Amino acid sequence: MLGFLDMLPNGGGDGKAFESLRPSNMELFNLRTPDSPHVQYFSWGAQYEPGLLDPFKLSHNIVFQKEGANDGLVSIESSKWGTYLGTLDDVSHLDLVGWINTARYTWKEWTGKAIKFKPATFYLELIDYLANTVEGVQDNTDQDFSKVAEEQGVD
């Protein structure tokens, strides 16, 4: 795993961040960090099937064996918190954080299986949705988030 970290643009790491994400550590974190009654919680999940040379192939398989469908790092089950808004299909963890694999997107397009997920569009629409839902802010667009979510490949 440390070899993979060395390939990242930020230049590696010691793997301690992954240790903090172990189930036992996350249970302790959740006990120490209770939900606030003054906060509305929303969440999304994502899933995809990594290709043969995908950097998340190993981690995807490990998470899949333990918790099922996942984005390469986070299972759908563990992503559910508060109001669950849906599952993004064919979206990896790197896609979610905006590290788009241009080769993957291009290959999918060439093979007639274009990836619909566009992170910037998704998050901008999500911000509008949350502003309207949580704060009651209205904008001048007639855009329905469910249509945007459908375009992004949400179940």
Side-chain angles (χ1 to χ4, degrees):
M1 181 53 110
L2 293 180
F4 172 70
L5 294 174
D6 291 333
M7 294 185 308
L8 295 176
N10 294 340
D14 61 7
K16 297 289 184 193
F18 291 104
E19 288 180 19
S20 69
L21 296 176
R22 289 181 176 163
S24 58
N25 290 335
M26 293 311 304
E27 287 175 21
L28 183 59
F29 172 82
N30 288 335
L31 285 173
R32 292 179 177 167
T33 315
D35 288 352
S36 169
H38 306 291
V39 174
Q40 293 182 48
Y41 297 89
F42 297 87
S43 60
W44 284 94
Q47 64 182 349
Y48 88 122
E49 289 298 323
L52 185 61
L53 301 176
D54 193 299
F56 283 132
K57 179 89 171 150
L58 177 61
S59 60
H60 179 276
N61 291 343
I62 292 169
V63 174
F64 188 84
Q65 289 175 5
K66 300 272 187 191
E67 297 187 10
N70 65 84
D71 66 5
L73 286 179
V74 180
S75 72
I76 292 173
E77 282 308 306
S78 66
S79 70
K80 293 179 179 178
W81 202 267
T83 302
Y84 189 70
L85 297 176
T87 301
L88 299 163
D89 283 318
D90 199 26
V91 176
S92 75
H93 197 79
L94 289 179
D95 295 335
L96 286 172
V97 299
W99 286 13
I100 301 301
N101 180 338
T102 308
R104 179 171 158 253
Y105 272 65
T106 302
W107 176 255
K108 290 281 193 170
E109 190 172 321
W110 285 351
T111 59
K113 301 174 186 172
I115 297 172
K116 296 177 182 179
F117 184 74
K118 306 291 187 262
T121 303
F122 176 76
Y123 289 116
L124 288 170
E125 293 299 332
L126 180 57
I127 289 166
D128 283 344
Y129 170 80
L130 292 174
N132 186 31
T133 301
V134 176
E135 299 294 331
V137 174
Q138 297 289 328
D139 64 12
N140 293 330
T141 66
D142 294 327
Q143 189 119 19
D144 179 4
F145 187 71
S146 62
K147 290 179 186 173
V148 172
E150 184 178 308
E151 291 170 3
Q152 296 287 325
V154 176
D155 272 347

